[in-house]
Every structure is written in structure tokens, then in C-alpha cells.
């Protein structure tokens, strides 16, 4: 039974890159009928916060990724916050000490820093030099009795470490590439590698799917699995998310947090779709996919090894596609908060529909809906359409048609536009010459939603009022 986890550190809002990791894990779990676990890696109390944890949970939910076990829903391996699992780590650390696989280390951070500096300066490897590796039990007791608080260090065996990564194939770490590392700090808190492994082991994780930046950590993780006597999971290290310049995707490339995209008016299904497509090609012609379709088609074995380069234009394109494939009712519901000035209007759904082809995200909605507000003073290019005899005739005819026929539906408005065009059929005019004067007279602008939408939403009386104003009648 597949059991995977997403293990964010709550030190910031959910980053696009982490969301991609979460998505791969989730898609794999859902595709395999497995279990998706959310584990909060908050062992660093200075950098972690509960509010960031909440923010991450909120963004994951917004993306549509749900979890079967986690800090908020509990589960058979609770607690799911590392800060609450200290006892589990200490218990496992004792086990390693008993087996002789871990030893107390009295080196202070200052001493370690100094050793590292010297090693680098002398061109030696900066790995831990092993000074505390073979302290006698007597010496350990004496130093502890003297008030020194040791950390606990893992005794790394001298041999090559190799494993099969599901993306990278055979990965090897030669002898000497890993030094003895800390598993418990002197204050009793677990080290990063130790807590990750103890959790993956005790939570029965079968596949670890994470970013390539953790690839080298895997050597230590495999050693710990073996030392603790647990079977190691399968590993898959996916490529990292890069900015357009090839650097790791960061602030200088623009928005990096999922919440920023949510606030800009991107749809969760579009963002998830986009993140999945960054390293995976769907079957020909099936690029616009919601989560359900992704679960059906996605195969973790098809993940590409090449870096994933963020491309905002492609995201925009996908978002536009998702906006236009969404049921209107649902679209209207999510659009409301982006256009509070209009969302209470009885014809808000029609208004949204009228600008759907002009937007790539919901943040652009208010700007497009301005067309339905009070007419603006036309700029020169727009004002041009109101000058001359043709414009005067068109506006007069439009007013006459509106007085004669009420507008009760979008079809009525379509018919009004058609009538106007028919009225000038024999005049050798371009459609624009007929429609633009009316558009500019109604809104003061030379672009915006299709004319029949404007007429329907504004209503007959308002259209007539604006035409009277324009014609000075
Ligand atoms: N907490 C780690 C991170 O946020 C993840 C560790 C792992 O996936 O093994 O990068």
C-alpha cells in the first residue's frame, strides 16, 4: 500500500516549488489508491510558526490537495508535527547508542566552526574529524558530570552508498563523502536528517518524493534506515523549479507563493495543471486538465529529469482555458470577491460571461467591468467615432429602435444590434462604423464587452439616457 508524505517546514508561505512537490505526492497517492500524509517539519522553533503552518494548510486545500493523515485530522501515527515528536526521536536515538551506532560529541559549535575553517584552509575535507568518536566511557561520564551537554552523532560506516532513484537511476556516494553527523543536538532536539528518517520509518512511508535539492541527503537517510532496522522507502527526486534565467525560482522572478497567485485571480485547477505540466507531458492534445483528469493520466514514472522552468505566459494561457471551461455558476461564485462592486448586481453572471474572452485571471475582472460603470469622457481615439454625419444618424436610429423595442433579454439586445445593422445595410458602411459610435456613446470607450451585452446589462432606459446625453437631446 502506497504511503507518501508532503513535509513542509512552516517557515514561509507555500512556495510554487513546494506546491509542485505536494502535487506529485498527492497525484501518486490518489492514482495508486494510497495514503497522502501531511507532516509539519517545525523542528526549528526560531524560523517556524503556527501562522505559516495555517497558511500552508490553507493553500494546499485551495489547490484541492487533501490529506488522509495530518496535524489537523490526526491519524494512526499522530502527532504529525515534528515539534511534538521529541520522545519518538529520543527513543530511536537511544537505540542507536545501544547498538554503538551513535556517540556523544562534546565539540562546541565554535570548535566545529574553527575545525571546518582550518580544514578548508588546508585543503582538507570539512567533514567532522571524529574527535569524539572513540571517547572512553569513563571520559564521557567525567565530562557529563562536569556539566557538559553532548550532542549525539551518528557513526557513518566507511563504505560506498548507492541507491536507485526513480528519476535519476543509480546514484552513488563514494566512501568518505559523508561525515559523522548530529542526530540529537545538545539541547535534546533532533537533527534534520534524523527526524525526517525516524518519521518516514515510523509512519511507514513507502515512497519519498521530493526535490532534487535533497538528493545528497539521501545518503545519510539510507544509512539511518539501515541502522534503525527499518526498510528504506523508494526515492524519487524531481527537478527543481527554476526562474526564466535558470536560477532557482525566487522573488526576483516575481510572485513565488501560491497565495500570491490565488490573490491575483488564478484558479487552483489551472495552477495545479500548470505545475504538473512543468515536468510531465500529457497525451497529445490533452493539456487542459483538472485534478481528477490529472489523477487519471499522470504517471510519476514519466517525470522528466530536466529542470522545470517557470513560464508565466503558459500559466496565463492555461488559466484562461480553465476560466472558460468552468461552469458559469461556479465561475461567478469565485469571481465575486474579485469584483465586489459588481457581484451584487442581478446581471453579474452575464457581465462575467461578457468579458470572459478578455481576461487571463480574475484580477483583471474589475478593470474589464468598468465598461458597465458611468460613461467616461472619451479619449481622442474614441471621440473620433462620434464625429460626423454617419455617427449622428446611427445614434438617432439606435435611440429610435430602443424606444420602439424593449430589451428584456440578451436575445432582445442581440436583435437590437442586428436591427441597427440592417437599418444601414444599403449604406456601404463597415460594421465598425455602425457599432462604434453606439459603443462610445454608451460607455465613452472604444473597447469592451460585445455591444449586445452592454445594451442588455445597462437596460433600455439607461441606454436611452446615455444616448440623449450624447446627442444633447
Ligand atoms: N522539510 C523539508 C523541506 O521543506 C522536506 C524534507 C523531505 O522531504 O525529506 O524541504
Amino acid at each position: 500500500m502506497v504511503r507518501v508524505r508532503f513535509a513542509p517546514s512552516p517557515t514561509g508561505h507555500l512556495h510554487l516549488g513546494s506546491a509542485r512537490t505536494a502535487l506529485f505526492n498527492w497525484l501518486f497517492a490518489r492514482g495508486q489508491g494510497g495514503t497522502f500524509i501531511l507532516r509539519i517539519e517545525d523542528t526549528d522553533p526560531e524560523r517556524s510558526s503556527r501562522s505559516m503552518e495555517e497558511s500552508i494548510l490553507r493553500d494546499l486545500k485551495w489547490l484541492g490537495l487533501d490529506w488522509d493523515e495530518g496535524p489537523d485530522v490526526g491519524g494512526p501515527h499522530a502527532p504529525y508535527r515534528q515539534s511534538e515528536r521529541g520522545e519518538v526521536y529520543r527513543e530511536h536515538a537511544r537505540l542507536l547508542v545501544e547498538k554503538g551506532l551513535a556517540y556523544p560529541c562534546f565539540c562546541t559549535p565554535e570548535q566545529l566552526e574553527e575545525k571546518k575553517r582550518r580544514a578548508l584552509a588546508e585543503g582538507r575535507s570539512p567533514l567532522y574529524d571524529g574527535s569524539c568518536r572513540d571517547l572512553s566511557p569513563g571520559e564521557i561520564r567525567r565530562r557529563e558530570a562536569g556539566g557538559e551537554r553532548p550532542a549525539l552523532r551518528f557513526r557513518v560506516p566507511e563504505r560506498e552508498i548507492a541507491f536507485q532513484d526513480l528519476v535519476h537511476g543509480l546514484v552513488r556516494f563514494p566512501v568518505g563523502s559523508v561525515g559523522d553527523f548530529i542526530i540529537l543536538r545538545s539541547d535534546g532536539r533532533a537533527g534534520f536528517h534524523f527526524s525526517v528518517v525516524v518519521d518516514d520509518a515510523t509512519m511507514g512511508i513507502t515512497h519519498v518524493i521530493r526535490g532534487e535539492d535533497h538528493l545528497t541527503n539521501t545518503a545519510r537517510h539510507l544509512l539511518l534506515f539501515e541502522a534503525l532496522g527499518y526498510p528504506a522507502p523508494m526515492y524519487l527526486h524531481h527537478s527543481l523549479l527554476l526562474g526564466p534565467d535558470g536560477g532557482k525560482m525566487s522573488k526576483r522572478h516575481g510572485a513565488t507563493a501560491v497565495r500570491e497567485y490565488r490573490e491575483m485571480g488564478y484558479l487552483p485547477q489551472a495552477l495545479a495543471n500548470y505545475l504538473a505540466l512543468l515536468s510531465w507531458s500529457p497525451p497529445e492534445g490533452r493539456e487542459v486538465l483538472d485534478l481528477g483528469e490529472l489523477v487519471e493520466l499522470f504517471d510519476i514514472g514519466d517525470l522528466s529529469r530536466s529542470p522545470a522552468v517557470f513560464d508565466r505566459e503558459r500559466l496565463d494561457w492555461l488559466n484562461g482555458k480553465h476560466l472558460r471551461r468552468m461552469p458559469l455558476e461556479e465561475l461567478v461564485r469565485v469571481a465575486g470577491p474579485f469584483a465586489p462592486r459588481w457581484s451584487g448586481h442581478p446581471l453579474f453572471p452575464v457581465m462575467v460571461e461578457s468579458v470572459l474572452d478578455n481576461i487571463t485571471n480574475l484580477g483583471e475582472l474589475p478593470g474589464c467591468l468598468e465598461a458597465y460603470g458611468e460613461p467616461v469622457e472619451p479619449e481622442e481615439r474614441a471621440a473620433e467615432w462620434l464625429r460626423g454625419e454617419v455617427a449622428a444618424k446611427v445614434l438617432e436610429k439606435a435611440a429610435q429602435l430602443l424606444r420602439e423595442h424593449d430589451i428584456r433579454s440578451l436575445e432582445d439586445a442581440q436583435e437590437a444590434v442586428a436591427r441597427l445593422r440592417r437599418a444601414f445595410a444599403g449604406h456601404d458602411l463597415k460594421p465598425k462604423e455602425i457599432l462604434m459610435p453606439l459603443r462610445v456613446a454608451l460607455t465613452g470607450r472604444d473597447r469592451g464587452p460585445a455591444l449586445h451585452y452592454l445594451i442588455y446589462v445597462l437596460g433600455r432606459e439607461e441606454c436611452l439616457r446615455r444616448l440623449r446625453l450624447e446627442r444633447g437631446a
Side-chain angles (χ1 to χ4, degrees), residues 34 78 170 185 426 430:
L170 182 65
R185 298 187 181 86
K430 294 197 193 85

Side-chain angles (χ1 to χ4, degrees), residues 34 54 66 72 110 118 183 189 243 304 389:
E54 282 159 16
D66 56 345
D72 56 337
E110 295 75 33
R118 224 176 319 134
I183 57 171
R189 281 192 295 127
S304 141
E389 213 178 308

Side-chain angles (χ1 to χ4, degrees), residues 9 61 108 121 293 309 315:
S9 303
K61 283 183 193 155
T108 63
E293 294 163 315
V309 180
L315 170 61

Side-chain angles (χ1 to χ4, degrees), residues 119-190:
L120 287 172
E122 289 165 16
R124 285 181 290 115
S125 147
L127 300 181
Y128 180 61
D129 65 359
S131 356
C132 295
R133 223 174 195 232
D134 299 306
L135 299 180
S136 67
E139 161 122 39
I140 293 170
R141 267 197 305 279
R142 189 180 55 73
R143 293 180 72 163
E144 282 184 331
E148 280 183 75
R149 306 261 316 265
L152 214 50
R153 220 175 250 283
F154 182 67
R155 197 185 293 275
V156 171
E158 290 212 5
R159 57 174 170 78
E160 183 195 74
I161 306 153
F163 74 101
Q164 281 291 340
D165 185 89
L166 293 174
V167 164
H168 294 261
L170 182 65
V171 181
R172 311 168 97 120
F173 300 93
V175 187
S177 52
V178 183
D180 290 359
F181 57 93
I182 304 260
I183 57 171
L184 279 191
R185 298 187 181 86
S186 56
D187 63 5
R189 281 192 295 127

Side-chain angles (χ1 to χ4, degrees), residues 26-43:
W26 185 88
L27 286 173
F28 182 58
R30 294 295 171 255
Q32 301 286 317
T35 302
F36 179 57
I37 296 156
L38 178 64
R39 181 171 80 218
I40 300 296
E41 303 211 324
D42 56 350
T43 44

Side-chain angles (χ1 to χ4, degrees), residues 5-10 18 21 39-41 82 192 196 200 208-211 213-214 217 221 235:
R5 61 8 177 232
F6 173 54
S9 303
S18 309
T21 304
R39 181 171 80 218
I40 300 296
E41 303 211 324
Q82 289 191 328
F192 168 71
V196 167
D200 285 343
V208 169
I209 301 170
R210 61 187 175 191
D213 47 346
H214 289 292
N217 294 336
H221 296 183
Y235 283 94

